[in-house]
């Protein structure tokens, strides 16, 4: 049985699978489309509504049969909350999710970091990939309770004067998802010739959490004092991205003021109008030591197999342009090197390191050999933070050591990988062989 880390995923067999979370937890599930929205209240499976097409909850076990989900459903997000409303998640052991196939054989297990002030934990999500389904580990805390989680996924929840869980201590801050924001943003994007963005509740959740953390600290930062970066929050909320941009701003009090700020400089305007992004989420939080309003806006393009293939192919193409410009033959794409490069990028994100040597002591040679690439000469470039193939290749070419690898005459083959969601954003790997 495999052990998943946050952001890790496994393919699922055909047929139903069961998810069990033992302990003093209530399990719930939200059935959504690619936009992260439910089709109706019946897509929320929890203790008071334990069944929907393709999903059934009995005690601490949720059974999901992807083939029987409603038409248009492409994702099932699994969450847990304390079974005793008076108990905080931080007072309980960290929940362990176990996934079994229809015959009861264990497929995988996932234990996230212990929650802090959160009242709900997004544990994992089932998601469609082509004709098959996969499971991704999340481990994202959610501070607005089960009702707040459901609302962000589009479920209609009647306000209840008796909350189902104690309100979290936010230090006097007030969070909101500003009305009118989407119209302002898409109007500005249309004027710039960019397509409109869709709101994604996972990005809203990540934006709210980051804005609240900045307000609590009284400072703007990509990584807040809890040691979590905005990019990590995006992936932990269940949104795997191919590219992501953010605005972290304090001061504006209204959506109009915020958008006006974003249009004020070339750099911030470029992020707002980025034609590559398709989804967005934002939130503002007022309070903290200064009483200021802190904003987080996230702009992203979801990760897809086709998108990943196009992006890595562009890195190869740009690399070969530099080689041919220097009078060198182009490098041939090697799928074995690509597999090793992709695994290393994903490993750097999952285990939170940035190095040619992984925490187990493995290096480029070993990774290439393990992937079946029998090259006599191996070299590796890594980078983090760049948001496009052009930016990462330009950065490598501006570094003498990386440039030497790109222009090394002995190399004949290349593989490229990238993964988003690490502390510094997107992590890139080039693996060369000759």
């Amino acid at each position: 049985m495999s052990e998943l880390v946050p952001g890790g995923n496994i393919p699922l067999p055909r047929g139903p699978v069961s998810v069990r979370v033992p302990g003093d937890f209530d399990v719930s599930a939200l059935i959504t489309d690619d936009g992260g929205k439910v089709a109706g209240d019946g897509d929320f499976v929890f203790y008071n509504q334990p069944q929907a097409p393709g999903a059934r909850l009995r005690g601490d076990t949720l059974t999901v049969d992807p083939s029987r989900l409603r038409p248009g459903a492409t994702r099932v997000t699994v969450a847990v909350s304390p079974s005793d409303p008076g108990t905080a998640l931080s007072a309980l052991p960290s929940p362990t999710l176990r996934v079994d196939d229809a015959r009861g054989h264990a497929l995988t297990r996932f234990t996230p970091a212990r929650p802090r002030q959160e009242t709900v934990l997004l544990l994992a999500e089932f998601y469609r990939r082509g004709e098959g389904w996969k499971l991704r580990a999340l481990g994202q805390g959610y501070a607005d309770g089960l009702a707040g989680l459901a609302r962000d996924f589009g479920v209609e929840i009647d306000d209840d004067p008796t909350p189902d869980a104690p309100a979290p201590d936010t230090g006097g801050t007030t969070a909101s998802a500003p009305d009118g924001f989407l119209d302002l943003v898409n109007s500005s994007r249309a004027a710039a010739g960019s397509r409109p963005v869709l709101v994604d509740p996972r990005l809203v959740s990540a934006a709210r959490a980051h804005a609240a953390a900045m307000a609590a600290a009284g400072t703007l930062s990509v990584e807040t004092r809890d040691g979590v970066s905005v990019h990590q929050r995006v992936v932990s909320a269940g949104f795997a991205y191919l590219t992501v941009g953010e605005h972290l701003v304090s001061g504006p009090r209204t959506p109009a003021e915020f958008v006006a700020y974003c249009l004020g400089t070339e750099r911030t305007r470029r992020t707002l109008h980025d034609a590559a992004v398709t989804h967005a989420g934002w939130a503002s939080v007022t309070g903290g030591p200064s009483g200021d309003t802190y904003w987080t806006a996230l702009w992203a393009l979801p990760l897809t197999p086709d998108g990943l293939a196009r992006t890595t192919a562009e890195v190869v193409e740009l690399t070969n342009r530099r080689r041919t410009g220097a009078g060198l033959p182009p490098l041939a794409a090697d799928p074995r090197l690509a597999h090793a490069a992709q695994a290393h990028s994903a490993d750097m994100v999952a285990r939170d390191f940035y190095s040619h040597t992984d925490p187990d002591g493995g290096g480029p040679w070993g990774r290439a050999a393990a992937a079946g690439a029998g090259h006599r000469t191996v070299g590796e470039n890594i980078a983090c933070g760049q948001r496009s193939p052009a930016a990462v290749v330009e950065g490598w070419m501006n570094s003498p050591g990386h440039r030497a690898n790109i222009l090394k005459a002995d190399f004949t083959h290349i593989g490229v990988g990238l993964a988003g969601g690490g502390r510094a954003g997107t992590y890139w790997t080039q693996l060369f062989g000759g």
Side-chain angles (χ1 to χ4, degrees), residues 150-170:
R151 285 191 187 97
D152 278 351
F153 277 76
V155 179
E156 295 290 337
I157 300 291
D158 293 331
D159 289 333
D160 187 341
T162 304
D164 61 355
D169 178 8
T170 61

Side-chain angles (χ1 to χ4, degrees), residues 44-424:
F44 184 25
V45 178
F46 65 118
Y47 50 85
N48 279 340
Q49 185 172 268
Q51 194 158 332
R56 183 182 71 251
L57 179 63
R58 289 184 178 174
D60 61 5
T61 301
L62 173 73
T63 301
V64 177
D65 187 346
S67 67
R68 296 181 179 275
L69 293 171
R70 63 162 175 83
T74 59
R75 196 177 301 269
V76 179
T77 302
V78 181
V80 294
S81 54
S83 54
D84 178 2
T87 301
L89 272 177
S90 58
L92 298 172
S94 190
T96 294
L97 173 145
R98 175 177 171 138
V99 183
D100 297 336
D101 65 17
R103 294 175 295 177
H105 296 159
L107 297 175
T108 192
R109 185 170 57 187
F110 171 55
T111 303
R114 192 169 184 172
R116 298 178 183 178
Q117 77 277 11
E118 297 87 352
T119 57
V120 177
L121 197 62
L122 303 181
L123 273 184
E125 65 174 358
F126 297 83
Y127 62 102
R128 181 183 291 164
R129 274 293 177 267
E131 296 301 315
W133 283 75
K134 303 182 83 172
L135 179 88
R136 178 185 291 117
L138 299 179
Q140 168 65 31
Y142 201 95
D144 284 353
L146 201 56
L149 171 67
R151 285 191 187 97
D152 278 351
F153 277 76
V155 179
E156 295 290 337
I157 300 291
D158 293 331
D159 289 333
D160 187 341
T162 304
D164 61 355
D169 178 8
T170 61
T173 63
T174 302
S176 64
D179 293 335
F181 194 106
L182 184 62
D183 290 340
L184 288 166
V185 164
N186 281 336
S187 176
S188 179
R189 286 176 62 85
S194 298
R195 58 185 165 179
V197 291
L198 301 173
V199 179
D200 190 287
R202 295 163 294 179
L203 294 176
V204 172
S205 174
R208 181 182 292 118
H210 199 75
M214 291 193 301
T219 185
L220 295 173
S221 55
V222 171
E223 182 178 320
T224 49
R225 65 184 181 187
D226 56 6
V228 181
S229 79
V230 66
H231 311 104
Q232 290 171 312
R233 286 191 166 95
V234 170
V235 170
S236 293
F239 192 103
Y241 63 80
L242 193 58
T243 188
V244 69
E246 70 277 346
H247 286 111
L248 309 177
V249 182
S250 66
R253 292 284 175 169
T254 66
E257 290 180 6
F258 179 83
V259 173
Y261 163 82
C262 294
L263 294 173
T265 68
E266 171 60 26
R267 180 181 62 82
T268 54
R269 186 166 56 250
R270 187 167 58 246
T271 300
L272 178 67
H273 291 162
D274 188 349
V277 304
T278 56
H279 292 71
W282 49 81
S284 64
V285 173
T286 301
S290 64
D292 288 338
T293 299
Y294 288 81
W295 296 73
T296 298
L298 298 166
W299 320 91
L301 177 66
L303 175 67
T304 64
D306 288 346
L308 179 62
R310 285 194 303 270
T311 303
T312 54
E314 187 175 349
V315 173
V316 173
E317 180 186 357
L318 292 170
T319 299
N320 280 333
R321 285 185 195 174
R322 300 301 183 121
R323 285 179 62 88
T324 56
L328 296 168
L331 302 171
D334 185 330
R336 297 162 300 181
L337 292 176
H339 177 80
Q342 182 62 37
H344 187 56
S345 287
D347 193 28
M348 287 191 289
V349 169
R351 293 202 277 178
D352 193 20
F353 73 97
Y354 178 64
S355 173
H356 295 287
T357 304
D358 66 37
D360 300 323
W365 273 96
R367 287 191 288 272
H375 298 285
R376 291 176 298 175
T377 304
V378 172
E380 184 179 78
N381 285 344
I382 59 175
C384 62
Q386 296 84 357
R387 294 175 178 172
S388 70
V392 73
V393 173
E394 183 69 22
W396 280 326
M397 288 299 294
N398 289 333
S399 166
H402 298 100
R403 178 187 176 93
N405 272 340
I406 288 174
L407 301 181
K408 187 169 182 176
D410 290 345
F411 289 145
T412 57
H413 291 77
I414 187 175
V416 175
L418 69 122
R423 194 176 300 274

Side-chain angles (χ1 to χ4, degrees), residues 5-19:
V5 298
N9 65 79
I10 62 163
L12 294 173
R14 294 187 180 275
V17 295
S18 63
V19 173

